[in-house]
Amino acid sequence: MTNYLVEFAYLIASILFILGLKGLSHPESARRGMVLAEVGMLMAIIGTLLHRDIVSYEWIIAGLLIGSTIGAAMSYWVPMTAMPQRTALSHAFGAFAAALVGISEYYRHGAELGSFTMGAIGFEVMLGAITTTGSLVAFAKLQGLTRGTPVVYKGQNIFNMSLLVFTIGIFIYLLIDPSASPVFYMMTGLAFLFGVLLVMPIGAADMPVVMSLLNSYAGLAAAATGFAISNNVLIIAGTLDGFSGFILSVLMCKAMNRSMTNVLFGAFGSDSSTAQIESGTEGTMREVNVDDVAIQLAYAKQVIFVPGYGMATAQAQHTVRELANVLESKGVTVKYAIHPVAGRMPGHMNVLLAEANVPYSSLYELEQINHEFPSTDVAVVIGANDVVNPDARDNAQSPIAGMPILEVDRARSVIVLKRGKGKGFAGIENPLFYKSVTGMLYGDAKDSLARLTQAVQHA
Amino acid sequence: MSHETLIAALYVFALAAFLGYQVISRVPPLLHTPLMSATNAISGISLVGSLVTAGAQYNTVSTILGFVAVTCATINVVGGFMITDRMLRMFKRKLPTVKDKK
């Protein structure tokens, strides 16, 4: 009887998860949707606690308490600008849990496992292990613990591929002979190693793709757990997560006009020497000062802000909003143009601007806003670079050729807020900076914006 | 796992994949970060597997692995839902204008 109850609880939980994600199709219904998903999770957990195999609760309670405390503390204290790091870390936790359950299942049953279950456990442990270490490397890069630049060496792709093929090879061997426990532990170890090697060569600029991909793997690891222990709610929830991550990574790749293989094995930005550009990079950059820009802004009809990762690093989202407030009080129309890969994870900029109380009705996607630039008086680029690089459109030789960009260079005037005269993270020259419509305002973005706000008030 | 259970599980997997594709494609880019943290929290459902491993007293190793897994998965479930809500609370359509405040 209890068993039916438990299964029933799982069924309801699965339905609530789907309804919860459906709620995310609109900001108005999103929070309600999440409440449904939370209820579903609670039902699944309570149902599981009635499972007939569970005989002692002390470790469970300890784990739940410690986990809740850490989880709550993390979600409470983490600043919105650090959202990519937090997400990377939570991919690692989720995947590690799946890997551990898989290892425990193997430890318990070992030789008695049938090929199917062995296959499921193998997928679970491999995906879990790769995602765990891969996400930890991504976390280290995003947090600035290691350099964000790609780590490359000669023969890297060949080495990684051989390692992967070898790991898959011993996985197949395990399907035939599940009792070979040393082989299983070797496979697990290699998968942990492969996660590190997979993410190491990927630069910080490609993080949106990597984050989505790891999200997908973490989900699939959970789904594989479901196969291993024959649990449908795990399969459903894991698959939803897996596909969500997959869809996001495809979207991110499209937004950079690159293939998944190219992102994973291309080591972007490492070969910038071969990709020098001729079109319009000669000439000088025109430096402008705060007062001139302030007057331009104050007398504009429409201003579009284009935020990038630089806005996040400078924690400038609130200052942007203050400047926008002052401009709006002077009758200027203010809009925000968000490129899909601006920032370090999908939707990064939207969350930051929402934190600064920018209503989402002022946030525009690439396709919605591009036709508005020609009728825009001033486009203000805040710490964005590649997503506004006109070379992607004009120069077929450019390493980012074909990437859809925000066409700020079609605006009547462009102001670029930039820390220094250096190149972007990908090391690609940006001809936008040399165009006659462009004025460069150097300095910390937050500081520049604060001074602009002051100046606009007096203009 | 018998053949029948495997086939049934594959059905569930395939249908969930199609459903997931349909549902997730409708999420606007605006909410992609909350989407990621929400799916993260939901895939913390692997907690269900960890709970059994931690509480079933199969053997010491399983109990320890299960305990660590419960902790990790709970971090995801609790942290994931909380931060998703924290983010979603911030998305507002229109705010009271500056004039209204005065």
Side-chain angles (χ1 to χ4, degrees):
Chain A
M1 188 59 206
T2 9
N3 248 357
Y4 282 110
L5 274 179
V6 174
E7 287 298 323
F8 195 66
Y10 287 167
L11 175 65
I12 303 285
S14 311
I15 294 170
L16 289 174
F17 288 158
I18 292 162
L19 290 176
L21 288 177
K22 193 166 169 287
L24 279 177
S25 57
H26 199 279
E28 300 280 304
S29 56
R31 285 188 75 195
R32 205 172 49 230
M34 281 303 103
V35 172
L36 293 179
E38 284 159 27
V39 172
M41 184 62 77
L42 201 64
M43 287 185 67
I45 293 170
I46 293 174
T48 310
L49 290 176
L50 303 173
H51 196 287
R52 61 191 142 69
D53 274 11
I54 298 184
V55 286
S56 80
Y57 285 89
E58 56 270 23
W59 288 109
I60 293 181
I61 293 168
L64 287 175
L65 282 179
I66 299 175
S68 307
T69 315
I70 299 177
M74 264 173 64
S75 60
Y76 190 75
W77 295 112
V78 72
M80 284 297 150
T81 40
M83 199 52 67
Q85 293 92 304
R86 194 215 75 94
T87 311
L89 211 54
S90 67
H91 291 155
F93 284 132
F96 192 51
L100 291 180
V101 172
I103 294 171
S104 154
E105 286 292 304
Y106 182 81
Y107 182 83
R108 268 176 64 204
H109 301 294
E112 314 148 30
L113 288 169
S115 296
F116 292 127
T117 318
M118 185 63 238
I121 292 179
F123 271 117
E124 176 188 352
V125 172
M126 275 206 292
L127 284 169
I130 291 174
T131 312
T132 306
T133 47
S135 300
L136 287 176
V137 175
F139 169 78
K141 287 194 178 207
L142 290 163
Q143 183 69 28
L145 299 178
T146 57
R147 292 187 327 137
T149 44
V151 179
V152 283
Y153 49 85
K154 223 174 158 207
Q156 185 172 35
N157 283 338
I158 295 167
F159 179 74
N160 287 358
M161 288 319 281
S162 337
L163 187 74
L164 184 63
V165 169
F166 180 68
T167 313
I168 292 172
I170 58 178
F171 174 42
I172 293 169
Y173 177 82
L174 270 174
L175 292 181
I176 301 160
D177 178 14
S179 64
S181 59
V183 178
F184 174 80
Y185 295 113
M186 185 159 85
M187 181 191 83
T188 311
L190 287 176
F192 275 116
L193 177 67
F194 186 73
V196 177
L197 297 176
L198 183 73
V199 180
M200 254 189 1
I202 298 172
D206 286 339
M207 276 305 155
V209 183
V210 179
M211 297 283 293
S212 315
L213 210 58
L214 290 170
N215 184 18
S216 174
Y217 289 171
L220 292 176
T225 313
F227 276 96
I229 61 174
S230 304
N231 183 322
N232 283 336
V233 71
L234 269 172
I235 299 180
I236 293 172
T239 311
L240 288 174
D241 188 17
F243 266 77
S244 163
F246 179 72
I247 292 172
L248 287 178
S249 40
V250 170
L251 285 177
M252 294 301 113
C253 281
K254 259 194 204 145
M256 298 198 292
N257 190 36
R258 294 171 58 204
S259 67
M260 197 79 77
T261 348
N262 183 265
V263 173
L264 289 178
F265 304 109
F268 201 43
S270 58
D271 57 347
S272 54
S273 55
T274 57
Q276 275 320 317
I277 292 127
E278 311 90 54
S279 75
T281 36
E282 314 88 30
T284 47
M285 301 194 221
R286 184 166 61 91
E287 198 171 338
V288 288
N289 67 39
V290 168
D291 293 327
D292 294 344
V293 177
I295 288 180
Q296 244 187 319
L297 289 173
Y299 291 96
K301 266 233 258 334
Q302 171 157 297
V303 172
I304 297 180
F305 287 109
V306 182
Y309 184 58
M311 183 183 82
T313 43
Q315 307 255 8
Q317 66 273 29
H318 297 281
T319 335
V320 174
R321 175 62 181 159
E322 278 158 33
L323 176 58
N325 275 349
V326 175
L327 287 173
E328 275 168 351
S329 71
K330 287 187 179 283
V332 182
T333 311
V334 178
K335 293 180 177 176
Y336 302 81
I338 316 284
H339 193 280
V341 294
R344 289 291 182 265
M345 72 182 287
H348 192 185
M349 292 298 123
N350 299 300
V351 169
L352 290 184
L353 289 170
E355 187 199 12
N357 275 329
V358 175
Y360 60 79
S361 48
S362 324
L363 307 178
Y364 291 84
E365 292 165 33
L366 188 91
E367 306 82 41
Q368 298 171 317
I369 196 90
N370 254 347
H371 67 271
E372 288 204 26
F373 280 111
S375 56
T376 298
D377 300 291
V378 192
V380 185
V381 178
I382 308 161
N385 189 344
D386 291 348
V387 297
V388 293
N389 191 334
D391 254 4
R393 180 190 62 211
D394 303 333
N395 180 356
Q397 260 78 56
S398 167
I400 55 168
M403 167 170 159
I405 53 156
L406 289 163
E407 299 184 319
V408 291
D409 58 327
R410 304 231 152 120
R412 296 200 186 106
S413 165
V414 185
I415 304 299
V416 177
L417 270 63
K418 208 165 172 301
R419 213 166 19 199
K421 298 188 184 185
K423 296 174 185 175
F425 33 65
I428 301 165
E429 280 285 359
N430 192 340
L432 174 73
F433 303 159
Y434 301 90
K435 292 212 170 190
S436 54
V437 290
T438 310
M440 307 292 291
L441 189 58
Y442 293 113
D444 175 68
K446 194 175 174 179
D447 181 55
S448 302
L449 287 164
R451 287 192 295 143
L452 272 176
T453 313
Q454 287 271 324
V456 171
Q457 265 166 340
H458 298 299
Chain B
M1 200 195 295
S2 70
H3 283 77
E4 293 82 51
T5 10
L6 177 76
I7 294 296
L10 284 174
Y11 264 99
V12 172
F13 176 74
L15 293 176
F18 277 104
L19 191 61
Y21 184 83
Q22 291 299 327
V23 171
I24 311 268
S25 314
R26 299 222 169 104
V27 178
L30 176 73
L31 295 179
H32 276 171
T33 301
L35 169 69
M36 210 184 249
S37 65
T39 51
N40 230 312
I42 289 175
S43 78
I45 187 73
S46 57
L47 178 58
V48 164
S50 325
L51 286 174
V52 178
T53 313
Q57 288 188 339
Y58 297 128
N59 55 62
T60 320
V61 176
S62 285
T63 307
I64 294 171
L65 292 179
F67 164 70
V68 179
V70 167
T71 311
C72 287
T74 312
I75 294 177
N76 258 9
V77 172
V78 175
F81 279 124
M82 279 182 67
I83 204 140
T84 309
D85 191 63
R86 193 179 141 204
M87 282 191 275
L88 290 175
R89 252 196 328 244
M90 301 185 313
F91 284 93
K92 299 183 192 82
R93 182 199 290 277
K94 267 278 177 246
L95 297 148
T97 55
V98 186
K99 282 172 214 149
D100 294 344
K101 274 182 202 157
K102 285 173 189 166

